[in-house]
Amino acid sequence: MDNWCTDQGIERGAVVPLDQAWELARRWYGDRLRPDWRRPSAAETERLFAEVGLTRRFWRLEEPG
Amino acid sequence: MSVRAEGVDLLRLIRLYIYGQFLEHARPPTVEQTAEALHTTMPAVRAAFRVLARGRVLVLEQGNYDIRMAMPFSAVETPFEVRAINQSWYANCAWDALGIPAMLSCDARIVASCGDCGDPITLAVMDNEVVGHTEVIHFAVPAARWWKNIVFT
């Protein structure tokens, strides 16, 4: 992954296994078609990240993601 | 007629209409189509699109009111194709490719290309689980900066 980032000229970000990414997708998009859906606040989003185990500084939000 | 005058109901209707059009046709509606379908005016739809874009529900193309993204859907071709329920869509990124079956609660087949070697990758979502191999998703941009340049993100 480090070599790939170097080749791409980007910094290494967060590497997320498929299962964890799927769980995040389910929680983030699962209610998107509900008529009363609203975008989660920054705090709610950080909580959601934490619930799926994404707790590094990388996942902190100074503003809604 | 303004979004404010009509309250949140017009925003809600427009948001759901956009998703409905993506689901059915794999592309977003234009301002004109939206206005006609919802029996409202084009200025009201443009105002609603602006509100939804400010609220990070939509991404509009620069300089006009064409919808580029209604997350997780992409209006432009990307390396992340999702096939499900006799339709196929483009997602904005690898994670959004998972977002489509997550949103629809359906099985899906995701055809993507490896960011490293360019080889095709096929993933499946079956019975509420993702069936892959040892693939990982690389999030390049820290969450707090996703919206500084959402197209790059």
Side-chain angles (χ1 to χ4, degrees):
Chain A
M1 182 59 76
D2 288 333
N3 290 341
W4 178 76
C5 289
T6 302
D7 291 346
Q8 298 291 316
I10 59 175
E11 290 179 27
R12 186 187 171 104
V15 178
V16 180
L18 274 184
D19 287 351
Q20 197 174 21
W22 169 243
E23 192 55 37
L24 181 62
R26 281 199 329 116
R27 289 170 190 247
W28 186 253
Y29 284 116
D31 63 350
R32 190 63 59 110
L33 294 180
R34 282 176 52 165
D36 60 348
W37 176 85
R38 65 168 179 78
R39 191 176 178 78
S41 67
E44 288 166 339
T45 302
E46 283 193 344
R47 268 202 301 280
L48 188 149
F49 289 156
E51 283 168 9
V52 299
L54 300 171
T55 54
R56 278 178 49 201
R57 182 175 181 76
F58 185 94
W59 300 101
R60 296 226 188 107
L61 289 172
E62 291 146 20
E63 56 191 69
Chain B
M1 189 186 307
S2 71
V3 174
R4 191 169 296 173
E6 293 191 329
V8 295
D9 282 342
L10 181 61
L11 283 176
R12 190 173 294 177
L13 286 173
I14 287 177
R15 189 179 71 78
L16 292 171
Y17 178 69
I18 291 165
Y19 277 111
Q21 291 295 298
F22 257 117
L23 287 171
E24 192 171 348
H25 304 294
R27 62 178 183 273
T30 63
V31 168
E32 189 174 2
Q33 286 170 334
T34 306
E36 190 177 327
L38 299 180
H39 308 293
T40 186
T41 65
M42 287 174 52
V45 172
R46 286 193 201 98
F49 279 16
R50 282 196 300 272
V51 171
L52 292 169
R54 273 201 305 272
R56 298 177 172 178
V57 177
L58 300 178
V59 175
L60 302 176
E61 294 286 5
Q62 288 225 330
N64 63 45
Y65 287 88
D66 291 346
I67 295 169
R68 165 79 176 244
M69 304 177 188
M71 281 67 74
F73 296 116
S74 169
V76 299
E77 187 174 333
T78 70
F80 309 100
E81 186 183 3
V82 180
R83 298 172 188 166
I85 47 178
N86 298 319
Q87 181 60 281
S88 77
W89 302 273
Y90 288 108
N92 299 295
C93 61
W95 178 52
D96 276 356
L98 295 173
I100 291 174
M103 185 175 75
L104 299 176
S105 297
C106 68
D107 293 348
R109 188 157 171 261
I110 297 168
V111 182
S113 60
C114 175
D116 183 18
C117 64
D119 282 352
I121 294 176
T122 302
L123 303 174
V125 172
M126 289 179 64
D127 299 330
N128 212 23
E129 287 189 12
V130 63
V131 182
H133 307 285
T134 55
E135 292 89 351
V136 294
I137 295 179
H138 179 249
F139 288 77
V141 180
R145 300 209 314 260
W146 284 353
W147 283 85
K148 302 267 188 234
N149 183 346
I150 191 62
V151 172
F152 173 76
T153 299

